[in-house]
Amino acid sequence: MPDALAPTSDPAWLVRHDGYNIVTESAVESRLALSNGFMGMRASRAVSRGPTWAGWLGFIRWASWPRCYIAGLFDTPNTDPPVPALVPVADWSRVRITLDGEPLLAREGQVLASYRTLDMRRGVLLSGWTHRTPAGITVTGTEMRVLSQADRALGLQVLRMSLDRDGVDVHIEASFSMAGVGMEPARLEPDLGAWHTEGNYKSVAMACAPTLRIGDTVVQPARPFPLRWTWYMRSQADQVAELDRIVAVSRGDSPMSDPAPEASDALSRGRSVGWRAILAAHEAAWQDRWAAGGIELDGDDDLQRALNFAVFHLTGAANPDDERVSVGARALTGDAYFGHVFWDTEVYLLPFYTAVWPEAARAMLMYRYHTLPGARAKATGIGCKGALYAWESADTGMETTPDHVVGPDGKLIEVLTGKMEQHIASDVAYAVWCYWRATGDDDFFLSAGAEIILETARFWASRAVLEADGRRHIRHVIGPDEYHEDVDDSAFTNVMARWNIERALECVDRLRARWPDQAAALTKKLDLSEAELADWRDAATRIVTGLDPATGLYEEFEGFHKLEYVDLAAYADRTMPIDVVIGRERTQRTQLVKQADVVALIALLPEAFPDGTAETNFRHYEPRCAHGSSLSAGLHALVAARLGDKDMALRFLRQAAKADLIDNPATAGGIRIAGLGAAWQAVVLGFAGLDLASDIPALSPKLPPEWRRLAFRVQWRGRRIALAMNGSAVQATLEAGEPMPLRIGSTVHTLQPGATVQAAA
Ligand code: IFM
């Protein structure tokens, strides 16, 4: 039987980090973080950390940021401005070791070797170290950490250690550190703790059962306090002590709920089967997820590993069983953006989940349905109708964007995105529509999706105001290009708004044709009159789009073309974002674009760019983009791949997929999952040219010559399809479900269950 604590041999599945470096440590902990969509845990070292209570001490600080998170566990700390943030929960991975009365501390003695390896195939974090203490004792250890994909309430740690000599007094302590950082203890028992948040009385319970064995002998711990186990022993050279710790966690969402019984039940489940069975079930669950969502790429090992990394974090971020949470901008891997949910989820992540894990996509869209009241309140608050989603959303759906932050120069900067970045409304509608078209989940459409599309369309129709020129304008917004604030008629915003209204009108038609009773019930519930529908039609025809019919070029917003042109090539060697290099005010006066904006529109709505105008717009805006956000490169890769510019697409794809694999301080606050989602899109929707939103799904590959084979699976309306392709041919196999059409290039084929269609690419 393979050693559970040894990594897989294939490097394509491994992300390894050796040593410890104060400068990069926090980013490494994000990169190698584990998550199962319910719990998240950064990859901080379990042993020899020493005290970590100091958060910030000027220029002397702990680089390590040990944190565990629970999805949806938000409270509002006493920050200025006060915004809800994910509350860190007790870190159950910590192990303290004392040798002859001296604590083992990484900063003392000599760490002869240390590594952390993410084994992505198995979904485990493996660590190892050899440490010589100031007293000359050599300690060797390995550790495995797991957040179960099979049973999301369960976490597991297995730690083995040995000494190079006899006769040392060894003291091993397994504890729950950081408990109490953001939560008040409500109940502390020997094997169970429960805490509640201070402000809103959400709660978490954690139950734990550790066992320490030497050979077949179980060593009994001392139990000085709740949730603390201490084992004393006298060493024998090379004798291995093995600690396994099973942890069960549950969340309570209201002051009335007691999460403790659920945590106790989960612990009993875990204990009854033991850690090896927990691990086996977890690995089997990951195997299923890799089969459903993995990408196989022959011809570029480095990119294959980066794509595995993307799919690993995308998979870990989701929880199909919880409709009350969605994926934050850094998932459950770091504190940046406080765990808030942005448009990142709908535009950058949902295409992945919709195609390979529709149950997870549905749960995230239901989160938007449950937070509709917050979106309605935001629209009403600015004098509009319908629903405008929060630019940053936490648990309730109310706007949580801070209204100011402190800039690098110590001055307050007003943050306008929460008020002005309103395209989030149509981004959510877009994801709903794409999910419904790709899955055929009519139940979701009828019970939630249609209402989201109608309410967001209603917002836009009330927001697009008729002016003297006979056009409807949407003024005072921020588009995806956040370098330019308070602009009028952003092309992305307005074209997406028009699309949102058009789809809402189509929803009404479809509802009336197929489900007249539900159509009547929904229009009654929303008090939607014929007059209002007529106004929507009017809005859709009159909204300003910024399109110049003569050239096919969209103007990013009114007046953009008149701004100063800056040649980015002159700044090619910069190491800082362009707005830092030339200053915020000057950036605002230029045509420099922060991230895919009109280019994002080409990615989302290719039909808005007929007759070669996708190329016209891409060639115009790509050189103006400074890629000041991790969201940018992936969508540029997607559009370049669709246009057949393989070299440029590959360059952007590598940039997107590897952004958190290379040393980058921005990763310290958590992995930037939107960029990873965009990398997946660039491969599947870009290079492979997949389109699942139509009644006839389509594939039109344009692969780089060095890719010998690209293969992945997707789901479409209850079917599972395996697709494999190279530069000249495509193979499509319908693995499950009814016969279906598939367009490959310009030919429509019929896939039969179990059969493979071969076609020219
Ligand atoms: O949503 C993004 C935004 O588009 C650019 N800044 C970061 C946000 C969170 O990822």
Side-chain angles (χ1 to χ4, degrees):
M1 203 169 45
D3 179 5
L5 274 62
T8 213
S9 54
D10 182 348
W13 292 104
L14 303 178
V15 183
R16 177 176 166 125
H17 182 81
D18 287 278
Y20 173 91
N21 177 337
I22 172 171
V23 179
T24 54
E25 174 63 14
S26 198
V28 170
E29 292 175 358
S30 304
R31 183 182 304 146
L32 307 181
L34 295 176
S35 175
N36 62 14
F38 171 62
M39 290 190 259
M41 181 183 259
R42 287 167 58 80
S44 313
R45 298 166 307 170
V47 299
S48 64
R49 272 185 210 164
T52 53
W53 48 267
W56 189 86
L57 289 174
F59 296 106
I60 301 171
R61 64 192 170 105
W62 288 101
S64 174
W65 195 239
R67 280 285 185 268
C68 292
Y69 308 97
I70 300 297
L73 189 77
F74 287 97
D75 196 17
T76 305
N78 193 21
T79 51
D80 186 359
V83 286
L86 272 183
V87 186
V89 296
D91 170 12
W92 51 266
S93 68
R94 178 121 191 243
V95 176
R96 271 193 282 239
I97 297 168
T98 307
L99 305 173
D100 282 338
E102 294 295 330
L104 184 71
L105 296 178
R107 64 170 187 253
E108 289 173 0
Q110 226 186 329
V111 179
L112 301 173
S114 89
Y115 66 84
R116 277 164 285 178
T117 298
L118 196 58
D119 184 332
M120 300 183 282
R121 187 177 62 80
R122 299 169 57 210
V124 301
L125 177 68
L126 302 164
S127 314
W129 68 94
T130 305
H131 190 160
R132 184 172 302 139
T133 70
I137 304 166
T138 301
V139 196
T140 303
T142 51
E143 188 216 354
M144 175 182 66
R145 252 179 261 174
V146 171
L147 298 182
S148 175
Q149 260 292 330
D151 187 343
R152 289 191 170 76
L154 293 180
L156 171 69
Q157 177 184 41
V158 179
L159 186 140
R160 294 179 188 144
M161 62 166 273
S162 61
L163 268 55
D164 65 342
R165 66 195 59 195
D166 295 343
V168 178
D169 279 329
V170 181
H171 165 166
I172 301 176
E173 183 183 276
S175 60
F176 276 58
S177 98
M178 314 288 287
V181 167
M183 305 191 81
E184 289 291 307
R187 188 166 160 182
L188 286 176
E189 294 168 10
D191 301 330
L192 182 136
W195 298 264
H196 67 76
T197 53
E198 281 187 58
N200 57 9
Y201 271 77
K202 292 191 170 201
S203 50
V204 160
M206 293 184 163
C208 180
T211 307
L212 190 117
R213 286 188 180 80
I214 295 182
D216 290 334
T217 309
V218 173
V219 183
Q220 291 309 318
R223 304 296 317 275
F225 303 110
L227 295 175
R228 189 169 298 185
W229 298 259
T230 313
W231 294 269
Y232 298 96
M233 66 201 80
R234 211 163 166 73
S235 72
Q236 285 179 26
D238 301 327
Q239 186 179 58
V240 177
E242 178 182 285
L243 167 67
D244 71 80
R245 161 153 58 171
I246 302 171
V247 175
V249 183
S250 100
R251 185 188 79 211
D253 288 338
S254 75
M256 309 309 291
S257 55
D258 177 8
E262 209 178 305
S264 296
D265 288 353
L267 184 67
S268 308
R269 262 195 325 268
R271 288 188 79 166
S272 66
V273 296
W275 75 260
R276 287 180 197 282
I278 294 173
L279 178 64
H282 165 77
E283 289 181 355
W286 263 107
Q287 207 173 344
D288 290 349
R289 292 268 37 101
W290 283 116
I295 290 176
E296 287 174 34
L297 177 59
D298 283 355
D300 189 334
D301 294 348
D302 197 39
L303 191 55
Q304 168 74 79
R305 193 175 73 108
L307 293 172
N308 287 346
F309 180 75
V311 172
F312 174 79
H313 279 296
L314 288 164
T315 303
N319 180 358
D321 300 325
D322 193 348
E323 300 184 346
R324 295 283 165 181
V325 305
S326 188
V327 180
R330 303 302 180 98
L332 295 173
T333 69
D335 285 353
Y337 295 113
F338 310 109
H340 294 174
V341 180
F342 293 70
W343 74 312
D344 305 31
T345 312
E346 282 71 24
V347 169
Y348 293 80
L349 310 184
L350 256 296
F352 168 81
Y353 298 117
T354 295
V356 310
W357 200 0
E359 300 82 0
R362 189 187 213 270
M364 285 171 213
L365 293 173
M366 285 307 290
Y367 161 84
R368 291 298 193 181
Y369 182 67
H370 295 307
T371 50
L372 252 180
R376 288 189 174 111
K378 185 172 170 189
T380 310
I382 58 165
C384 288
K385 292 169 140 188
L388 167 59
Y389 282 97
W391 175 244
E392 297 187 28
S393 182
D395 47 349
T396 65
M398 302 306 284
E399 183 58 70
T400 60
T401 308
D403 52 26
H404 61 266
V405 292
V406 181
D409 56 1
K411 295 197 180 118
L412 287 189
I413 302 175
E414 191 181 2
V415 178
L416 294 171
T417 49
K419 296 181 190 78
M420 292 189 175
E421 203 153 351
Q422 299 178 349
H423 61 81
I424 178 76
S426 29
D427 303 332
V428 174
Y430 180 84
V432 166
W433 178 264
C434 294
Y435 168 82
W436 179 47
R437 300 313 301 143
T439 60
D441 185 350
D442 294 337
D443 179 54
F444 164 80
F445 177 68
L446 293 171
S447 61
E451 192 170 333
I452 292 176
I453 293 174
L454 297 188
E455 282 291 76
T456 45
R458 172 178 256 173
F459 164 72
W460 287 120
S462 69
R463 181 70 174 78
V465 177
L466 184 63
E467 296 188 6
D469 61 359
R471 310 297 304 275
R472 292 174 75 146
H473 294 266
I474 303 178
R475 301 199 181 272
H476 306 298
V477 296
I478 300 175
D481 168 16
E482 294 166 338
Y483 285 162
H484 297 96
E485 299 178 331
D486 197 359
V487 302
D488 294 333
D489 290 325
S490 133
F492 182 92
T493 307
N494 291 21
V495 175
M496 288 295 286
R498 182 181 66 184
W499 176 93
N500 193 162
I501 296 170
E502 286 170 350
R503 291 295 74 72
L505 290 164
E506 189 176 341
C507 284
V508 173
D509 291 344
R510 286 183 186 240
L511 281 164
R512 285 179 173 163
R514 273 185 76 187
W515 301 283
D517 292 349
Q518 279 102 326
L522 188 56
T523 47
K524 186 164 177 232
K525 176 179 174 188
L526 301 182
D527 196 16
L528 195 55
S529 66
E530 289 307 318
E532 193 171 354
L533 291 176
D535 180 53
W536 292 10
R537 279 182 213 104
D538 180 73
T541 50
R542 288 178 194 263
I543 274 183
V544 173
T545 62
L547 174 68
D548 176 352
T551 59
L553 190 66
Y554 283 87
E555 184 168 32
E556 191 189 284
F557 53 82
E558 191 186 304
F560 179 87
H561 292 329
K562 293 201 194 88
L563 298 175
E564 177 199 355
Y565 174 78
V566 173
D567 182 7
L568 271 170
Y571 296 90
D573 294 338
R574 76 196 145 91
T575 52
M576 307 289 277
I578 194 74
D579 57 329
V580 177
V581 175
I582 67 169
R584 204 164 163 250
E585 283 75 24
R586 171 151 181 234
T587 307
Q588 286 170 343
R589 294 194 301 270
T590 71
Q591 293 185 17
L592 291 171
V593 177
K594 179 177 175 183
Q595 61 190 56
D597 183 298
V598 174
V599 171
L601 192 60
I602 309 174
L604 269 57
L605 299 182
E607 66 272 24
F609 295 83
D611 307 325
T613 56
E615 179 98 38
T616 310
N617 281 273
F618 184 70
R619 297 298 171 203
H620 185 81
Y621 284 103
E622 184 277 324
R624 288 167 170 76
C625 186
H627 303 287
S629 151
S630 57
L631 279 67
S632 193
L635 288 196
H636 278 78
L638 161 56
V639 174
R642 280 187 186 151
L643 293 174
D645 188 338
K646 297 174 184 175
D647 289 344
M648 183 185 277
L650 257 184
R651 182 162 56 77
F652 279 127
L653 170 59
R654 291 201 177 101
Q655 215 171 303
K658 293 167 78 169
D660 290 325
L661 281 167
I662 55 174
D663 281 339
N664 185 339
T667 310
I671 53 111
R672 292 159 301 161
I673 193 155
L676 300 179
W680 180 91
Q681 291 189 48
V683 174
V684 174
L685 312 185
F687 284 109
L690 184 75
D691 170 17
L692 290 177
S694 314
D695 287 333
I696 300 180
L699 200 67
S700 49
K702 293 188 186 114
L703 303 191
E706 59 266 46
W707 290 11
R708 291 190 295 273
R709 179 175 175 271
L710 173 70
F712 53 86
R713 289 187 174 84
V714 290
Q715 300 188 34
W716 183 79
R717 301 190 187 174
R719 284 88 162 176
R720 193 179 68 240
I721 314 134
L723 298 164
M725 61 213 74
N726 59 25
S728 56
V730 171
Q731 280 190 347
T733 308
L734 181 58
E735 294 185 332
E738 303 282 300
M740 61 171 280
L742 177 68
R743 189 190 305 276
I744 301 175
S746 53
T747 311
V748 176
H749 303 260
T750 301
L751 302 187
Q752 298 291 345
T756 298
V757 163
Q758 310 255 13

